[in-house]
Amino acid sequence: MISDYLSLAVKSIRNRRLRSWLTMVGIFIGVAAVVSLISLGQGLQAAINEEFTTFGIDKVLIQAKASGFGPPGTLSAGKVTEDDIELIKKVSGVERVAGRVIKPATIIFRDEQQARSIVSIPSKPDEAELILSSRTYEILQGRMLKPSDKDKVVVGYDYAYSKLFGKPVSVGSKLEINQKKFEVVGIMSRIGDPFSDKAVLMNQDVLKELFDADNDISVIVAQVKEGEDLTLVAEDIRRAMRKDRGQKEGREDFEIQTPQQYLESFTTIINVVQAVVIGIAAISILVGGIGIMNTMYTSVRERTKEIGIMKATGARNSQVLLLFLSESGLLGLAGGTIGVILGILIGKSVERIAMQALGSELLKAYFPWYLIVGALAFSFTLGAASGIFPALQASRLKPVDALRYE
Amino acid sequence: MKRSIIRLENVWKSYVMGKVRVDALRGINLDVSLGEFIAIRGPSGSGKSTAMNLIGCLDYPTSGTVLLDGNDISRLRESELAQVRGRKIGFVFQQFNLIPSLSAVENVELPMVFQNVPKKKRIKRAMDLLSSVGLGERLNHRPRELSGGQQQRVSIARALANDPEVILADEPTGNLDSATGKSIMEMLISLNKEGKTIILVTHDENLARMAGRVEYIMDGKNYRRLK
Ligand SMILES: Nc1ncnc2c1ncn2[C@@H]1O[C@H](COP(=O)(O)OP(=O)(O)OP(=O)(O)O)[C@@H](O)[C@H]1O
Ligand SMILES: [Mg+2]
């Protein structure tokens, strides 16, 4: 009748309230860390997966190989051009191709000057549609650019709402970009990544003229036909471009990115972070386990006489063992329960803070049932395991010696 | 001739501590029949408690035989010994030895927990026993909230929990004033009248005289007093 032993254990734990609390601290800090981290990690993973689903898993990006860090289009070694677009269009399995130009520019608004990126919308309607469908380009105010717009731009969310300039930019505002005047016709909804929210959209031919960019392209987006293997098509594109440029394998001056690659590198980062924190949590839980063991040893020593009394009233060794194991198991479980509650609170708080700071719902805490049940089962097992040696010691005490103990 | 419930035959018990060996019992003999009330007397350190521990199956003899209800306890494994102890023996100690974190009822329940008595039955019996020792109003008190006499009555109730044949009382009145001690003694006498076998260790000559028979121990051996 295990319940009898559990209720005896509860009484004994309550009787040593302060020490029981202190013992549980080690466990619940560790469990709280694990629960909050895993929940946030899972949330982040889900958010990233979702992000890529909206971008579309049927697209690959081709750009010049970066020679350093920075937004696409800056600091590159090689070049991609309009010719590459024509080349990629001919690769079998490719549905549509579009090029984008991204240029750094100085923007002046009401006598204030800033360096920002200008991003092009392709001039050909089908290319424009491909670009616009591959990002969550939603208009918050005003309208999107029309192919015929010459001196018009659409600006990112931050221009209007994040005080990028001293005064907010609104529909109808005039911006001076590279000494030319443009009118703002639309403001985009918040996208969530700092680059897109601070970008300015401009029609591609206008942008090329403004920068004398003739043939250069910053990024090529290629959409793969339905049912085609994205990786294989990406490989075909790579081979075609390599042949066209006369480059050897591994020495290309361009690179091709598939959504899987992004996904994998994000996942790797998340996993590394989780592994580090779980490592720290593991140490804290280990310390917690040792704490329980220590408390149980102390408890066995203090209650030597009680053990003698129990044996004198007919307790078998196995029953004494069970009693002490229930006690340490319960200490673990109680610590784990507090840890889970604390972990949920921490996860939710981080979610809320992230929401306010980033304004995006990127970081959502998920608490799947197996995380909670697993954490509780784990802490009970840990407690019981930490109690094994003290409990064995208690059960093996000789009744006469235990009774004589003062 | 009544049935023999406890029999010690030439029992030795030695404790070895480092290089020193203490012979606490040196060939003691004792025969107790079912339903008897015997008192054991003897000077301090003569081995009375040691003998009680052997009778109570708390320890094995170094040599000689201890028979409980005809069974040699040396042949029993520790878990079997615990079973026998739990069912056939009830202890009453000088220091009461109640468990401080448990209430009176829970203390009385404890021996029944170890015999897997169902909870309802356990509580009912514990309450009945406590009422019979006059503590019906103190069921949920902790030991420290009870007087010495009350604690000793709880421990008598606990000793009776599994309805054992034998009650072993090692100086049960040693920590009590004489009036309270006398009431505990009267309780033991009435239990004996109900058929319990009682072995009482005491220093008090007057109390010993109330038992059916008195045995003397000196230096771990039986000692016959000259009348
Ligand atoms: N567990 C033990 N280890 C070592 N020596 C012991 C142990 N138990 C008893 N002794 C020794 O055995 C002798 C008998 O002790 P015991 O407790 O049986 O005496 P007693 O007659 O009960 O004395 P008292 O009247 O003072 O209670 C003593 O010398 C005691 O020191
Ligand atoms: Mg003694």
Side-chain angles (χ1 to χ4, degrees):
Chain A
M1 264 172 282
I2 186 82
S3 63
D4 293 330
Y5 295 90
L6 289 175
S7 83
L8 280 171
V10 168
K11 278 165 201 143
S12 156
I13 289 171
R14 280 217 202 115
N15 206 39
R16 276 159 267 268
R17 203 160 290 177
L18 178 65
R19 193 188 309 150
S20 304
W21 274 110
L22 292 176
T23 305
M24 287 187 285
V25 169
I27 299 290
F28 74 63
I29 289 179
V31 170
V34 171
V35 167
S36 57
L37 261 135
I38 292 183
S39 72
L40 289 169
Q42 295 235 330
L44 199 58
Q45 184 77 63
I48 286 165
N49 286 343
E50 203 186 283
E51 187 82 351
F52 277 98
T53 317
T54 46
F55 169 76
I57 46 164
D58 58 345
K59 298 184 185 79
V60 296
L61 295 180
I62 301 111
Q63 61 191 62
K65 196 168 254 172
S67 57
F69 293 101
T74 60
L75 297 167
S76 18
K79 266 185 179 178
V80 276
T81 61
E82 296 277 2
D83 303 339
D84 291 313
I85 295 183
E86 294 312 312
L87 183 77
I88 293 167
K89 273 183 182 159
K90 289 190 201 110
V91 175
S92 78
V94 172
E95 171 93 40
R96 287 187 294 181
V97 187
R100 304 196 73 183
V101 183
I102 300 163
K103 290 282 179 193
T106 47
I107 303 177
I108 300 171
F109 176 60
R110 302 208 175 166
D111 301 330
E112 200 183 329
Q113 180 174 326
Q114 287 197 14
R116 294 288 161 201
S117 293
I118 315 292
V119 181
S120 74
I121 299 287
S123 310
K124 292 177 199 147
D126 64 325
E127 288 189 15
E129 198 216 310
L130 173 60
I131 294 298
L132 293 176
S133 70
S134 66
R135 262 273 163 213
T136 41
Y137 282 134
E138 266 176 49
I139 290 295
L140 192 65
Q141 286 166 21
R143 59 170 176 84
M144 199 19 121
L145 288 173
K146 282 189 278 207
S148 56
D149 287 335
K150 288 286 173 222
D151 48 4
K152 308 253 170 6
V153 290
V154 167
V155 296
Y157 182 88
D158 286 357
Y159 285 88
Y161 296 100
S162 285
K163 298 255 163 72
L164 209 54
F165 287 92
K167 293 249 166 60
V169 175
S170 52
V171 174
S173 292
K174 296 271 190 292
L175 297 181
E176 193 184 313
I177 302 172
N178 281 16
Q179 286 96 47
K180 196 165 179 274
K181 288 244 185 275
F182 288 88
E183 187 196 341
V184 175
V185 293
I187 289 159
M188 283 188 286
S189 301
R190 186 159 195 164
I191 291 169
D193 83 80
F195 177 77
S196 309
D197 285 336
K198 291 184 172 60
V200 172
L201 296 185
M202 192 182 283
N203 276 329
Q204 191 150 312
D205 43 7
V206 180
L207 192 149
K208 280 187 167 178
E209 202 185 304
L210 189 65
F211 287 90
D212 278 332
D214 55 79
N215 226 359
D216 286 3
I217 299 286
S218 307
V219 189
I220 298 172
V221 180
Q223 185 182 33
V224 171
K225 280 192 182 122
E226 220 179 298
E228 292 282 347
D229 185 327
L230 189 100
T231 325
L232 292 181
V233 176
E235 217 25 69
D236 286 344
I237 295 173
R238 189 190 302 278
R239 204 174 301 123
M241 285 179 67
R242 207 162 50 215
K243 200 171 150 216
D244 182 56
R245 291 160 184 245
Q247 286 169 343
K248 284 212 178 71
E249 196 167 345
R251 307 208 58 115
E252 300 96 338
D253 63 356
F254 62 92
E255 59 188 4
I256 299 180
Q257 282 165 335
T258 59
Q260 273 97 338
Q261 279 173 331
Y262 270 121
L263 216 53
E264 276 161 23
S265 57
F266 267 117
T267 309
T268 316
I269 293 168
I270 293 174
N271 286 346
V272 168
V273 171
Q274 282 196 351
V276 169
V277 182
I278 286 172
I280 296 168
I283 293 169
S284 128
I285 284 171
L286 182 74
V287 171
I290 294 170
I292 291 188
M293 198 185 286
N294 181 48
T295 298
M296 291 310 293
Y297 269 123
T298 312
S299 175
V300 168
R301 198 165 57 248
E302 282 178 354
R303 287 153 72 198
T304 300
K305 182 137 195 175
E306 268 183 42
I307 295 165
I309 297 167
M310 290 193 279
K311 290 199 162 182
T313 54
R316 276 174 278 143
N317 290 4
S318 57
Q319 292 171 317
V320 174
L321 184 76
L322 189 60
L323 181 62
F324 277 84
L325 283 183
S326 332
E327 202 170 312
S328 64
L330 274 184
L331 271 178
L333 183 65
T337 309
I338 299 171
V340 166
I341 294 170
L342 217 62
I344 291 177
L345 290 179
I346 293 173
K348 284 282 170 202
S349 317
V350 171
E351 178 185 303
R352 180 171 286 189
I353 291 167
M355 184 99 129
Q356 280 162 2
L358 303 174
S360 80
E361 301 200 348
L362 195 65
L363 211 54
K364 251 194 161 2
Y366 276 88
F367 301 97
W369 66 269
Y370 54 82
L371 176 63
I372 288 162
V373 172
L376 293 179
F378 172 82
S379 24
F380 178 78
T381 314
L382 175 83
S386 310
I388 285 178
F389 289 109
L392 275 175
Q393 192 189 52
S395 75
R396 285 175 186 158
L397 284 172
K398 284 179 66 182
V400 183
D401 296 339
L403 271 176
R404 282 169 61 95
Y405 187 90
E406 284 307 324
Chain B
M1 179 72 197
K2 278 204 159 183
R3 193 175 94 191
S4 165
I5 178 88
I6 291 153
R7 208 177 150 84
L8 270 59
E9 293 171 355
N10 192 24
V11 168
W12 286 69
K13 180 71 194 181
S14 313
Y15 297 104
V16 182
M17 293 187 300
K19 287 188 178 147
V20 191
R21 199 180 97 165
V22 180
D23 294 321
L25 294 177
R26 301 192 290 171
I28 198 174
N29 293 292
L30 186 69
D31 201 339
V32 182
S33 307
L34 195 67
E36 249 194 310
F37 188 154
I38 81 159
I40 298 178
R41 292 190 62 201
S44 185
S46 57
K48 304 179 297 287
S49 295
T50 306
M52 289 292 257
N53 289 342
L54 293 177
I55 297 168
C57 297
L58 285 170
D59 209 352
Y60 295 100
T62 309
S63 73
T65 38
V66 177
L67 298 171
L68 183 71
D69 215 1
N71 298 307
D72 186 348
I73 68 159
S74 300
R75 290 174 199 276
L76 298 179
R77 281 184 288 118
E78 223 172 85
S79 61
E80 295 168 322
L81 212 57
Q83 281 292 90
V84 172
R85 205 188 294 144
R87 286 212 213 103
K88 302 204 167 190
I89 313 267
F91 288 92
V92 180
F93 302 93
Q94 181 175 354
Q95 286 92 359
F96 321 133
N97 283 353
L98 297 173
I99 292 186
S101 58
L102 301 181
S103 68
V105 178
E106 289 162 347
N107 264 291
V108 178
E109 268 185 74
L110 199 59
M112 297 187 269
V113 170
F114 298 130
Q115 299 303 322
N116 296 328
V117 176
K119 193 171 175 83
K120 271 206 181 125
K121 212 173 143 190
R122 225 162 59 199
I123 293 177
K124 167 105 179 37
R125 176 149 177 86
M127 296 203 303
D128 290 350
L129 284 168
L130 283 169
S131 313
S132 74
V133 297
L135 287 176
E137 311 287 296
R138 297 279 190 281
L139 299 175
N140 294 313
H141 286 55
R142 299 283 173 92
R144 72 172 108 75
E145 298 157 355
L146 297 170
S147 73
Q150 289 169 332
Q151 288 190 51
Q152 197 60 302
R153 282 188 273 162
V154 175
S155 80
I156 288 176
R158 179 180 65 186
L160 294 169
N162 288 321
D163 197 18
E165 277 123 338
V166 183
I167 302 286
L168 301 180
D170 194 343
E171 298 192 42
T173 61
N175 281 8
L176 303 173
D177 63 51
S178 57
T180 319
K182 206 160 161 255
S183 79
I184 294 293
M185 189 63 192
E186 275 156 10
M187 218 167 254
L188 291 176
I189 290 171
S190 78
L191 284 173
N192 177 243
K193 291 212 175 99
E194 288 163 26
K196 300 283 180 212
T197 306
I198 296 187
I199 303 179
L200 166 78
V201 168
T202 182
H203 280 297
D204 189 323
E205 210 174 331
N206 295 325
L207 292 184
R209 219 174 286 139
M210 296 162 91
R213 175 155 67 101
V214 186
E215 286 282 336
Y216 295 91
I217 298 182
M218 185 110 74
D219 289 336
K221 286 184 287 199
N222 301 71
Y223 171 78
R224 300 235 164 266
R225 280 235 306 207
L226 301 169
K227 291 272 159 98

